[in-house]
Amino acid sequence: MMTVLRSVLLFGLAALAEIGGAWLVWQGWREHRGLLWIAAGVLALGAYGFVATFQPDPHFGRILAAYGGIFVAGSLAWGVLVDRFRPDRWDYLGATLCLVGVAVIMYAPRR
């Protein structure tokens, strides 16, 4: 159980770093907030690259595939919390399907 909790927390941290980093770059470039925002985004994106290495599962492909689902749901959540985006039922359904995929890929019993 602790391994699953650790994995979920690491996925959350990875999402925060990647989505937040991309958002900072977006703000720096598209919203003309400047090079400091872009630099902070680049640093956050770099930090994201390291977070996955702390996952308990040793398979890079599995970690990255599962993280894809976290990224989808996390991006929608970021949009709601930061950009006041209003998802529709299809957004919610898609995110739910992605999170079910994460659970199957990462936490299904294996030998």
Side-chain angles (χ1 to χ4, degrees):
M1 188 60 170
M2 287 305 290
T3 302
V4 172
L5 181 59
R6 177 179 177 215
S7 174
V8 169
L9 290 173
L10 285 168
F11 277 138
L13 182 59
L16 187 61
E18 185 182 19
I19 298 163
W23 183 82
L24 286 166
V25 171
W26 179 284
Q27 293 298 308
W29 186 257
R30 298 263 316 238
E31 303 299 327
H32 310 288
R33 294 198 174 173
L35 291 177
L36 287 178
W37 285 70
I38 294 170
V42 168
L43 289 174
L45 288 165
Y48 151 75
F50 285 98
V51 172
T53 66
F54 295 104
Q55 281 286 350
D57 190 291
H59 300 94
F60 174 79
R62 180 177 292 147
I63 298 300
L64 210 55
Y67 174 69
I70 301 294
F71 179 80
V72 169
S75 294
L76 288 173
W78 184 280
V80 168
L81 295 171
V82 176
D83 290 329
R84 300 196 190 344
F85 172 68
R86 305 202 76 195
D88 62 22
R89 66 180 178 204
W90 302 111
D91 295 319
Y92 286 117
L93 177 61
T96 300
L97 290 171
C98 288
L99 292 175
V100 168
V102 171
V104 170
I105 291 169
M106 285 299 295
Y107 310 119
R110 291 190 165 83
R111 294 183 238 194

